[in-house]
Amino acid sequence: MARRSWQALPLVGLLAAGVLYPRLLPGDYFLHLGIVVSLYIILTSSLNLIMGITGQFAIAHAAFYGVGAYGSILLVTRLGVPYWWAWAAGILLAGIAALIIGASTLHLKGAYLAICTFAFSELFRLLLDNWISLTNGANGIIIRFVPPPIGIPGLFRFDLGSRRSYYYLMFTFALVTVWFVRRLARSDLGRVLGAIRQDETLALTAGFDTRRYKLLAFTVGSMYAGLAGATYAPYLSYIAPDLFDVNETIYIMMIMMIGGIRSIWGPVWGSILLVSLPQALDITPLLRMIAYGLVLILVMIRMPDGLAGFLDRLVSRLRPGGTWFGEKA
Amino acid sequence: MLEQFGNFLVHGLVTGSMYAAVALGLTLTYGILGILNFAHGEMLMVGAYIAFVLTSRLGVNFLVAAVISMLAVGLLGWVIERTTFRFARHEHLNGLVISLGLVAILQNIALAIWGADPLSIPPPLPRTLEVWGIRIGEQRLLAFGLTVGLIILFSLFLKRTRLGKGIRATAQNAHVAATLGIRTERVVAVTFSLAAALAGLVGALIATIYTITPFMGGLPAMKGFVVMILGGLGSVGGSILAGFLVGVVESFGGGMISSIFKDGFGFVALILILIFRPWGLFGQRPEREDV
């Protein structure tokens, strides 16, 4: 019993940090940073489920993020669907797209899977760019509505007119995503996914229909990306095809790697570092990008397990066997 | 109609030769390092800028400039492999992030030196030929000839020479190659450097046809990856054939179906072919079907 309550501690810590953050660092600018960090926590944690835990090298995550964003926004602006219904539909659409793409690509391995999903992702961008009557092409869509408030009466309420509410909403979803991925990784299902990563043939021989498990992880992970898109788009108030192209997937992947792949908390560390680092390096943009590149290379060479793995190694020197920062799944 | 057909075919083959050369470099790097090197496109970009400086600022003859670009980028490749990728061999995700770091560094150095405005090298052969109704710039033919010549030389080098055999052996199994006395460490560096040199030359050639910008490497690298997978990992011949195939498919698709969707036809071809051949056109078929 005591063990169980200890296990919730990191999540409580994240919750406390998220609630205290706007009090410690007030102002719209820091709220904006908090929203972007939360966005990337959702995107990287869900990619971690697909790529880190299940080991499927699929690079189309930003496309599902885009399906969620475009799907929900188009339903609102073209068909007049109420936002929160459109929001749910956007997530569902991302799931359906993932089912179709996953079913036709997940039999591929390694670089084959990577490049084939990349091809799908680029086709999606080309579709957004060229189906001008629906998507307004490369010019994108300006979003003029504010999502109606949502909440449980008497308990809590997100009034999305203010940036502060938006921050709490995004942060709540980030917390839910981390909780979900952590819960899943520790479940029996998570163990099967880990087995598929380590030796798919063995998992198959043990009687698991690996194809269905891979498809499940891919679809669920992609639906979280859809959620990120559907929730973030009205805040951004503008969406365009190149926000969801393969470069965005690569950026998400990069955050996951710098934070620490396969670690539950890696995505959190990575998102905090990579969103705030460019802001913190107060130099000309050119030098900043060069420094950024150097940091990427150095981290990947000196800390191959990312920040989470590095912090864990520091801790385990003090207290052998402890994984305080990483929690390898 | 027939003339149009010929035009599409010829232009597709010219573009295809570039794709083939880029994919050849990528497939060698992947085979030997196990890394999807996203910075390969930046090797093209550096080659293009070096050729630009040599021809436009220093008045060097274009062919000489192209050879110097090739050597310089080959040297750059050597330095990059020794300082970065050697620490992440076969750690494909770590290697990928390192290559992204290199992309950021190289693009922004180029941006700092030459700015974002597109530059171009005036083509040394500006005329347009017309044979049987097929119109093509002489410069494109020169680029095609040089690229194809280099691809042939490169394939012969891999097949016939001692070092080439060492490269192929290391790509198949580095441990066995090392026990057989191949200095795999050196082979890796040489391979990376050769792949970079090839990209450098293609960059110089592209610079006479298209414009030079710090971001020009992105698209060819993406196309190179598609071609590499389509041809099948580890197959040099596959990469070359797939390069021409993608070039021709895009040329016909862009000309006859939809020009805005031109880049999409290669992707569609890849997806369709991988459904039936998950190991690519000429890749190693797995010994048993896993799933």
Side-chain angles (χ1 to χ4, degrees), chain B residues 9-19 136 140-141 143-144 147 209 244:
Chain B
L9 185 67
V10 167
H11 282 272
L13 288 175
V14 172
T15 321
S17 69
M18 311 268 172
Y19 290 170
I136 179 137
R140 282 177 193 252
L141 278 183
F144 178 75
T147 316
I209 301 174
F244 287 109

Side-chain angles (χ1 to χ4, degrees), chain A residues 68-280:
Chain A
Y70 265 92
S72 58
I73 296 305
L74 287 175
L75 281 173
V76 173
T77 56
R78 301 274 161 172
L79 296 177
V81 176
Y83 172 72
W84 288 107
W85 287 103
W87 175 86
I91 299 172
L92 205 64
L93 280 174
I96 294 169
L99 266 180
I100 295 170
I101 293 176
S104 50
T105 59
L106 285 172
H107 62 291
L108 301 170
K109 307 210 181 306
Y112 288 98
L113 177 63
I115 303 302
C116 197
T117 44
F118 154 73
F120 268 109
S121 172
E122 276 297 279
L123 285 178
F124 172 69
R125 188 192 55 79
L126 280 166
L127 187 77
L128 293 182
D129 260 336
N130 296 316
W131 193 350
I132 294 172
S133 59
L134 182 72
T135 64
N136 199 24
N139 293 327
I141 302 171
I142 293 170
I143 300 157
R144 297 178 200 283
F145 65 86
V146 174
I150 189 167
I152 299 171
L155 264 178
F156 63 90
R157 183 179 140 99
F158 294 109
D159 189 9
L160 296 175
S162 83
R163 196 173 289 230
R164 177 178 284 264
S165 285
Y166 231 111
Y167 164 74
Y168 282 118
L169 180 73
M170 280 303 276
F171 174 72
T172 307
F173 283 134
L175 194 68
V176 167
T177 314
V178 173
W179 168 80
F180 176 83
V181 172
R182 185 173 189 243
R183 184 78 197 262
L184 185 76
R186 293 168 161 207
S187 67
D188 288 346
L189 176 59
R191 271 186 273 279
V192 177
L193 298 180
I196 290 174
R197 178 188 78 238
Q198 286 170 354
D199 190 337
E200 193 175 332
T201 314
L202 196 62
L204 191 70
T205 352
F208 295 106
D209 186 351
T210 54
R211 225 174 172 162
R212 280 175 58 187
Y213 282 96
K214 285 192 288 185
L215 193 57
L216 178 73
F218 185 67
T219 307
V220 171
S222 302
M223 284 173 82
Y224 272 94
L227 177 146
T231 318
Y232 185 63
Y235 168 75
L236 199 61
S237 74
Y238 168 73
I239 51 175
D242 47 345
L243 294 174
F244 308 108
D245 67 1
V246 71
N247 291 321
E248 181 66 19
T249 301
I250 287 171
Y251 183 62
I252 299 167
M253 221 157 79
M254 197 166 84
I255 297 180
M256 181 184 71
M257 288 303 296
I258 295 291
I261 186 171
R262 278 199 292 287
S263 140
I264 299 299
W265 302 99
V268 178
W269 299 116
S271 302
I272 294 172
L273 181 82
L274 282 196
V275 172
S276 53
L277 182 73
Q279 321 283 337

Side-chain angles (χ1 to χ4, degrees), chain B residues 160-243:
Chain B
R160 299 283 162 79
T161 63
R162 238 180 116 75
L163 185 57
K165 286 175 186 165
I167 290 176
R168 286 188 296 142
T170 310
Q172 278 192 1
N173 191 325
H175 293 293
V176 174
T179 49
L180 291 174
I182 293 170
R183 293 164 70 180
T184 50
E185 196 66 19
R186 217 176 69 182
V187 165
V188 172
V190 168
T191 312
F192 196 86
S193 161
L194 281 173
L198 199 56
L201 180 86
V202 175
L205 293 173
I206 283 183
T208 61
I209 301 174
Y210 306 102
T211 54
I212 316 173
T213 72
F215 311 106
M216 65 183 281
L219 196 63
M222 297 295 177
K223 290 289 169 65
F225 283 128
V226 168
V227 168
M228 166 182 96
I229 291 298
L230 187 59
L233 286 177
S235 165
V236 169
S239 280
I240 297 167
L241 273 175

Side-chain angles (χ1 to χ4, degrees), chain A residues 41-61:
Chain A
I41 291 177
I42 304 174
L43 289 170
T44 46
S45 286
S46 52
L47 184 64
N48 199 19
L49 172 63
I50 299 170
M51 211 184 264
I53 296 170
T54 322
Q56 300 305 304
F57 192 11
I59 44 181
H61 213 53

